Amino acid sequence: MLIGVPTEIKDNEFRVGATPSGVKEFVRGGHAVLVQRSAGAGSGFADQEYERAGATMVDGPAEVYGEAALIVKVKEPEEPEYELCRDGQLLFTYFHLAPDKPLTDAMIRAGSICIAYETVEKADGQLPLLRPMSEVAGRLSIQEGAKYLERPFGGRGILLGGVPGVPPATVVIVGGGTVGTHAAWMAAGMKADVWIYDKDLDRLNYLSEVMPPNVKTVYSDELSLEYAYEHADLVIGAVLVHGAKSPKLLLRDHLKIMKRGAVVVDVAIDQGGFAETSRPTTHSDPVYVVDGVVHYCVANMPGAVARTSTLALTNATIRYALEIAEKGEQACLENPELTRGLNIYRGKVTYKAIADGFGYEYVPASEVLDSRRLP
Ligand SMILES: NC(=O)c1ccc[n+]([C@@H]2O[C@H](COP(=O)([O-])OP(=O)(O)OC[C@H]3O[C@@H](n4cnc5c(N)ncnc54)[C@H](O)[C@@H]3O)[C@@H](O)[C@H]2O)c1
């Protein structure tokens, strides 16, 4: 199969869909790879490294999208890319369709086969392709939160770990999955007082076993969250309902009970955000203030640490990408993890939460893929 790796065009997005090592694996598997010139530059990979791995470098996105049967990228297509996506073309990337109707409509119109990294799901509910970026975003959320708590950046002027004689900051993490767990580890390492909230008791049990003593686990409900917001210096939004819009757990009224100069890092912004007052921001303009509370809502946080993220992403995506390259759309039929990854198939919405969210007809992936088998 001919695989295409375009340059990402989202604001300050420096990641790339495949490393030179990833390209080498494709080539070893008997595939050809087109890489857009300079696509890897932001992650520190030179064109020559891709060429040495066996890629053909091409000048623009039109050639990548125009020729490749499978596009492997990082972020959802941006508006200028909509018209490049072709009928029957396999697109393997993060999509985050649930909060984005224009993108969903564009992909339906394009007739492409959209396999979303974030909904590829193992039988036990794990999300193996969201996981590496959630690990990065979770760790980074504390780094960013600590920065915006600094007075010159609009925060309360609080050092996360405090110093002897001065108490540390209170970090409230809502959602104890991958993002929440990695955020908790970083905040705990910086000696903050960490409270982590989840509704899943098994998860809270696990967290209380693996976390250091400065991390407290708390069952998430309306009253416990209200108490948390009142005391928090830094709040991390890390909830997820698979494939669906994020539940709103930090309401506008809550801002009134929060401390002035407190910081909210809404990592869940790519699914619409866990705070009512969140709207997506970019790396070039990452924060804004509502009722004295600093909001950081960058939807592609891992792009800031592109090299780490690109390496971690390719480590996770390559085996699925190889399977798709080998079997084409049939891979979605044979591998249930990829079946769950299929969001849109040639104009049909094959992911229930997305179809329901926009009032579109839901056609199960098994149905569209099965019907392809009929004579
Ligand atoms: N902004 C970015 O750059 C970026 C990067 C990576 C991930 N994310 C996003 O971060 C979010 C979290 O991802 P994840 O991988 O940690 O997901 P996850 O599935 O591992 O964890 C989500 C957790 O939220 C919990 N949860 C669900 N509803 C809840 C509720 N009402 N109260 C408390 N907890 C609740 C679940 O029990 C689960 O433990 C997702 O929206 C993901 O897309 C954003």
Side-chain angles (χ1 to χ4, degrees):
M1 187 175 276
L2 183 57
I3 298 155
V5 182
T7 303
E8 295 297 319
I9 61 169
K10 202 179 175 87
D11 179 79
N12 277 285
E13 179 53 75
F14 298 111
R15 286 172 290 177
V16 60
T19 59
S21 298
V23 167
K24 202 161 189 164
E25 292 213 32
F26 284 132
V27 173
R28 201 179 292 132
H31 308 289
V33 189
L34 299 179
V35 177
Q36 190 176 337
R37 237 173 264 292
S38 302
S43 296
F45 297 114
D47 288 351
Q48 295 85 319
E49 292 180 72
Y50 284 104
E51 279 169 331
R52 274 201 297 276
T56 302
M57 306 308 289
V58 293
D59 285 331
E63 287 156 278
V64 179
Y65 285 91
E67 292 175 32
L70 165 63
I71 298 291
V72 178
K73 65 193 296 298
V74 181
K75 287 311 288 179
E76 67 280 357
E78 295 276 299
E79 221 175 306
E81 292 167 318
Y82 291 177
E83 60 186 33
L84 297 174
C85 301
R86 288 184 295 112
D87 190 30
Q89 188 171 45
L90 288 149
L91 304 178
F92 193 39
T93 188
Y94 289 113
F95 275 100
H96 299 291
L97 294 173
D100 196 340
K101 189 163 186 297
L103 173 64
T104 306
D105 289 345
M107 292 301 104
I108 290 172
R109 272 197 309 275
S112 306
I113 301 168
C114 304
I115 309 169
Y117 290 164
E118 72 277 8
T119 66
V120 171
E121 188 175 332
K122 292 183 181 249
D124 63 1
Q126 279 194 54
L127 305 173
L129 302 187
L130 186 60
R131 189 186 195 113
M133 292 307 98
S134 290
E135 291 168 353
V136 171
R139 288 173 181 230
L140 192 58
S141 68
I142 299 302
Q143 203 167 304
E144 295 296 333
K147 180 165 88 197
Y148 288 103
L149 273 174
E150 291 173 17
R151 196 70 191 93
F153 288 105
R156 300 193 69 220
I158 297 248
L159 185 62
L160 269 200
V163 288
V166 181
T170 299
V171 176
V172 167
I173 300 169
V174 187
T178 309
V179 167
T181 303
H182 285 263
W185 266 319
M186 289 301 111
M190 290 170 85
K191 303 207 178 303
D193 191 13
V194 185
W195 308 351
I196 186 161
Y197 289 73
D198 207 293
K199 273 194 123 42
D200 179 341
L201 286 176
D202 290 336
R203 191 68 195 172
L204 290 174
N205 264 313
Y206 162 79
L207 289 169
S208 72
E209 274 168 25
V210 300
M211 285 293 158
N214 56 336
V215 178
K216 277 92 188 163
T217 56
V218 190
Y219 185 74
S220 170
D221 62 29
E222 228 176 289
L223 288 185
S224 68
L225 285 180
E226 209 171 287
Y227 180 85
Y229 297 147
E230 206 180 326
H231 291 83
D233 297 298
L234 171 59
V235 178
I236 309 290
V239 289
L240 176 66
V241 176
H242 291 191
K245 254 183 140 164
S246 170
K248 299 287 180 208
L249 301 177
L250 177 68
L251 306 177
R252 175 144 204 156
D253 279 352
H254 287 133
L255 298 184
K256 296 193 181 77
I257 58 167
M258 288 180 70
K259 299 171 189 170
R260 301 306 82 181
V263 175
V264 174
V265 176
D266 197 345
V267 185
I269 189 65
D270 55 355
Q271 294 293 128
F274 101 116
E276 205 172 47
T277 43
S278 287
R279 55 172 168 79
T281 59
T282 59
H283 287 294
S284 42
D285 191 10
V287 293
Y288 60 93
V289 177
V290 182
D291 293 346
V293 175
V294 180
H295 290 53
Y296 173 101
C297 304
V298 175
N300 59 332
M301 292 175 67
V305 286
R307 191 165 174 93
T308 304
S309 301
T310 291
L311 286 162
L313 186 61
T314 299
N315 287 347
T317 54
I318 189 69
R319 75 181 183 88
Y320 295 98
L322 276 168
E323 198 175 333
I324 298 168
E326 200 175 300
K327 301 175 182 164
E329 62 185 66
Q330 188 74 9
C332 296
L333 193 60
E334 291 179 16
N335 182 346
E337 296 175 27
L338 286 173
T339 314
R340 287 186 274 271
L342 193 65
N343 283 197
I344 295 179
Y345 177 87
R346 298 175 190 261
K348 297 194 164 71
V349 181
T350 51
Y351 201 90
K352 193 165 183 339
I354 295 163
D356 290 353
F358 295 131
Y360 291 147
E361 186 194 357
Y362 163 62
V363 185
S366 53
E367 228 171 79
V368 287
L369 291 166
D370 265 336
S371 68
R372 302 279 301 171
R373 280 177 156 181
L374 298 173

